[in-house]
Amino acid sequence: MDAIKFVQEQNDQGTKLPDFRPGDNVIVSYRIREGEKERIQDFRGDVLQISGEGLTKTFTVRKMSSGVGVERIFPLNSPLIAELKVTKRGKVRRAKLFYLRGLVGKKARIKERTFRGK
């Protein structure tokens, strides 16, 4: 098992993404190839979960588009992620926020985490 972890660490792209947690609102700028053209498309939504370990680590982002929930799973170490911005920090008590799928309107909102300085 140590040999597998060693190879994974050697192949790590070393993408520098900000620290984020489930419940945070993020904007993922993702490179999309259409034929020979390449463009960057933003996907803005709430992080539902972070799963996996090492190179297989992924995170799921959910957004509402025309009243329909759209979820997308992004690999954390993907070279196609151009940028990731955290717009809001969410205050949640769970690591997997799948209960948001059944909520509609104001009930589906996540409270913002506030920091108190001394």
Side-chain angles (χ1 to χ4, degrees):
M1 287 305 245
D2 293 331
I4 294 172
K5 287 184 181 180
F6 177 74
V7 170
Q8 285 181 347
E9 289 174 6
Q10 296 300 320
N11 291 333
D12 188 10
Q13 299 286 331
T15 54
K16 302 296 180 191
L17 297 178
D19 291 333
F20 62 96
R21 302 183 348 188
D24 293 351
N25 191 288
V26 295
I27 300 174
V28 182
S29 299
Y30 203 70
R31 289 188 188 95
I32 295 178
R33 294 200 72 186
E34 295 173 337
E36 297 189 11
K37 295 180 182 178
E38 185 174 296
R39 64 185 174 89
I40 294 179
Q41 183 175 7
D42 290 342
F43 193 90
R44 180 183 186 143
D46 297 322
V47 178
L48 288 188
Q49 70 171 341
I50 299 174
S51 63
E53 186 176 303
L55 288 178
T56 62
K57 197 167 193 176
T58 60
F59 62 100
T60 305
V61 180
R62 178 182 175 87
K63 73 173 184 176
M64 294 301 290
S65 179
S66 302
V68 178
V70 178
E71 291 183 12
R72 183 148 184 200
I73 300 171
F74 295 98
L76 196 65
N77 294 312
S78 173
L80 297 176
I81 295 178
E83 186 180 14
L84 189 134
K85 290 186 229 170
V86 179
T87 56
K88 289 182 186 177
R89 302 278 182 182
K91 181 181 179 183
V92 293
R93 298 173 68 174
R94 295 178 179 269
K96 314 284 188 200
L97 304 178
F98 298 131
Y99 67 90
L100 289 176
R101 293 174 178 166
L103 301 180
V104 180
K106 289 185 178 181
K107 291 182 180 181
R109 286 191 295 188
I110 297 173
K111 291 183 181 178
E112 191 166 359
R113 201 169 61 203
T114 56
F115 298 99
R116 294 183 187 147
K118 287 188 176 183

